[in-house]
Amino acid sequence: MTTLKDKVAVVTGSSSGIGEAIVRHLALAGAKVSLGARRADRLEAIKSDLLSQGLKARYTVCDVTDSSQIKRLVEETEQEFGPVDILVNNAGVMYYRGVLKSSEELDNREIDINCKGVVNGVSAVVESMTSRKSGHIINMSSNAGRRGFAGLAVYSGTKFFVEGFSQALRQELAEHNVKVSTVQPGDVKTELMSHTTDKEAAAKYGVAESTSIISADDIARAVVYIVSQPDNIAINELLVEPSSIPM
Ligand code: NDP
């Protein structure tokens, strides 16, 4: 395993849930972490907490659907910490709904954040990483990137996009010594479910409250494992499921 000491890591969607856990674990492993999301108060609180532990952290408020904002996140990170070694495209949303209750607004939002957000993130770092012949891009996928789930048709489609995009990218960037990995979590306890307004669909298709599901820390540990591999090893995809409900 390689050390993450002083590696520069940018994590989008790091104001809560899995993204927050990832920055905490990367920082504890020695990385300089740069957070990006829309809620400044959350980012400020996480940054302050990390600094109080003697860890290195900063943030830029950023909406991943706007390519200029994610570029700014990367530029400000470079100015403060140096070139980006690790980018985790984690920001994402999920809204349960049946196809009969489709909503153009929710469709567009899921596609913009989950697909375009990842493309924007990659575009912001790829030139620098390939010219330095060094870097690791982690795209947050899902078990819904391996099979479609009822009540999550568009969401599943966005995660299939993440998988296809990452597979192609991985092949193109290998010659430049840049790794591309996807993480495919099963159900993780975060705020993700809380944004669904169609409570009927959530009850019909969602995981019951009583089900034992995995924690954001479990996913963060998986990310640290992926980025800590020696140069000659690539973890292309990592499916992380609760043992009680395997796919
Ligand atoms: P959360 O809702 O806790 O976190 C989502 C994060 O994305 C927040 O930090 C939010 O911050 C950020 N975000 C949302 N929209 C934008 C945007 N437009 N620009 C920038 N940041 C944005 O959910 P999770 O932690 O669960 O989700 C993280 C990732 O994990 C997602 O990609 C999700 O699809 C994936 N995943 C989650 C699973 C689960 O069961 N929880 C299972 C499989 C995959 P802010 O609102 O401040 O912008």
Side-chain angles (χ1 to χ4, degrees):
M1 304 281 267
T2 59
T3 172
L4 298 185
K5 188 164 165 21
D6 290 332
K7 293 273 185 201
V8 176
V10 170
V11 184
T12 69
S14 38
S15 58
S16 63
I18 293 172
E20 176 181 349
I22 292 171
V23 291
R24 289 183 180 281
H25 282 254
L26 288 175
L28 282 169
K32 298 191 255 187
V33 292
S34 180
L35 295 78
R38 296 164 303 174
R39 287 170 294 177
D41 54 336
R42 296 275 197 116
L43 296 173
E44 179 62 42
I46 297 164
K47 181 192 106 173
S48 301
D49 186 43
L50 291 171
L51 294 184
S52 74
Q53 296 175 52
L55 303 170
K56 296 187 181 107
R58 65 163 310 281
Y59 70 86
T60 297
V61 174
C62 129
D63 183 330
V64 295
T65 63
D66 180 344
S67 60
S68 66
Q69 292 190 32
I70 202 158
K71 272 197 189 102
R72 191 159 50 84
L73 164 64
V74 168
E75 280 163 13
E76 290 178 1
T77 304
E78 286 171 349
Q79 282 157 17
E80 237 174 283
F81 285 165
V84 176
D85 299 296
I86 298 162
L87 168 67
V88 186
N89 283 309
N90 165 75
V93 289
M94 178 186 85
Y95 310 109
Y96 274 101
R97 61 198 183 281
V99 282
L100 295 176
K101 275 201 187 168
S102 71
S103 148
E104 194 178 345
E105 195 209 330
L106 294 183
D107 292 350
N108 287 340
R109 209 183 305 158
E110 260 178 350
I111 293 165
D112 283 351
I113 297 171
N114 298 3
C115 301
K116 280 170 70 180
V118 173
V119 176
N120 289 340
V122 169
S123 301
V125 297
V126 74
E127 225 178 282
S128 165
M129 284 185 176
T130 52
S131 67
R132 284 180 285 125
K133 296 236 170 273
S134 168
H136 200 150
I137 296 167
I138 317 264
N139 294 329
M140 193 54 65
S141 176
S142 168
N143 55 3
R146 295 169 64 102
R147 75 168 172 90
F149 283 80
L152 290 175
V154 174
Y155 178 79
S156 301
T158 66
K159 295 302 186 180
F160 270 68
F161 172 90
V162 170
E163 289 296 336
F165 176 65
S166 303
Q167 280 174 20
L169 205 61
R170 182 178 303 131
Q171 291 169 49
E172 275 190 46
L173 299 188
E175 65 176 290
H176 301 287
N177 200 36
V178 174
K179 294 181 192 176
V180 179
S181 308
T182 60
V183 183
Q184 303 157 342
D187 291 296
V188 184
K189 200 166 180 50
T190 66
E191 295 171 15
L192 194 72
M193 269 290 283
S194 68
H195 304 297
T196 288
T197 50
D198 185 342
K199 299 299 170 202
E200 211 179 300
K204 183 171 177 187
Y205 301 117
V207 176
E209 280 285 312
S210 55
T211 309
S212 155
I213 57 179
I214 47 186
S215 75
D217 287 321
D218 296 318
I219 304 303
R221 275 190 285 273
V223 169
V224 172
Y225 170 76
I226 291 171
V227 296
S228 303
Q229 295 302 312
D231 268 355
N232 63 323
I233 301 297
I235 308 288
N236 294 344
E237 304 170 8
L238 195 52
L239 172 67
V240 186
E241 289 273 36
S243 55
S244 57
I245 36 173
M247 220 172 86

